[in-house]
Amino acid sequence: MRHIGFIAYLLNLTANLEPGKDIMTEEIFAHDGYLTEFEAVVSATDGDWVSLDCTAFYPGGGGQAHDTGALRGKRVEMVERRKDGIWHLCPGHGLEAGDKIWCSVDWDRRYELMKGHTAEHMLFGALNRLVPDLSIVKIDIEYGDKYVIVDRDVSWDIVSDAVASVNKAIDENLSVFKSSMDRDDPELEHIRAKLDRIEGSEISVVEIDGFDIAACGGLHVMETEEIGFVFADRKVSSGKEGYAIHFKVGEAAKKASSELAYGCLKTSEALNSKPSDVEKTAANLRSELNETRILLKKAGRALVEGAGEKRFSDIIVRYGVFPAEIDTLAEAAENWKTKGQIAVLATETDPSSVILASGDARVDCKKILANVLSSVGGRGGGKKDFARGGMSKGADPAAFIEKAISAVGNVLSIL
Ligand SMILES: [Zn+2]
């Protein structure tokens, strides 16, 4: 099939040449995405770069990654389009202008990119039917990762409906047609196109029979069945741009969907819930967890209020080890500090988190905390009036409290 395509390409070649147009590299991929082995003549070299009279190497564009392959057996690592044609990065090529060479594009990579690109048209087309004013911001079709960025978050329910309609269309084996339209053609209004991103007067249009039509200069498969299967497995915020919907095609899509399904089954087992109830169970647990946190915070605050008190002349030191969150202790320490008091607090956890805060300028919390922690095990830092740290695992928080109070006492009695 690939070679039949090439013969058709050769027959059409002269018809497609515009008189007077300076074409430095004939673009085989534009006529036949399936032709990956070809003979070419080297037109020029530029260090590790080589340009040819014709090439099947896609230089990338329209969101689709460039091809890789070989020129006379040497690896082509990059391909790029320049004003004077298409150039191939081929380190150590040893070629000269005029050399007639055999070239090959990595078919596995190219074919996956073609499937991914066609799947992207279908996925966005399906999403667009469900959310009519949805806009496409960017696409990225790489060998491993593929995504489409849309202008807003789309629920998993919508994504799964869109993916289901794409897979149905894949099973129906729709034909993919390529044609070209004049940039001024009024019909272009009915076609999804980012005309500001497309150069030239001729616009390539890709139609997936009855399913989607869009302007695109990339490479696509001829029939949807070739894609095999599509699965969207990740949604990530892209900041101001919107949301990236990542997807996979073929075997990688089947593998990802199976792994995620078994992940869900394991989660439902761990949550002791039926798979069909797993969403509801997770939502309930989350709400219970939030309520528990609120209660825990209240209990922690009440406990800390009962902190020990020690006086060095008129200065009050509040201290203790508490089964409370470090944020609760920090809140109490800030409060005592503003009243001119000193706080020496630790969490009843292993490892323990500790705080030293002072409303008395004579006490350097950062220095004392660092000294005490280095003797009882741990590290910390902060400011002169508020320092916090973490003890080593197994170190006793009571020892920290005792030594820190004694160090504070030394400062206040000496000065
Ligand atoms: Zn495309």
Side-chain angles (χ1 to χ4, degrees), residues 9 34 48 93 103 122 170 185 193 218 226 244 268 329 349 370 380 385:
Y9 154 69
Y34 292 80
D48 286 340
H93 56 75
C103 317
M122 297 177 81
I170 286 173
D185 193 324
E226 294 173 62
S268 79
L329 301 191
T349 50
D385 64 341

Side-chain angles (χ1 to χ4, degrees), residues 54-75:
C54 66
T55 189
F57 282 85
Y58 184 60
Q64 180 179 334
H66 65 84
D67 287 331
T68 57
L71 302 185
R72 196 184 264 169
K74 290 270 191 240
R75 292 295 304 157

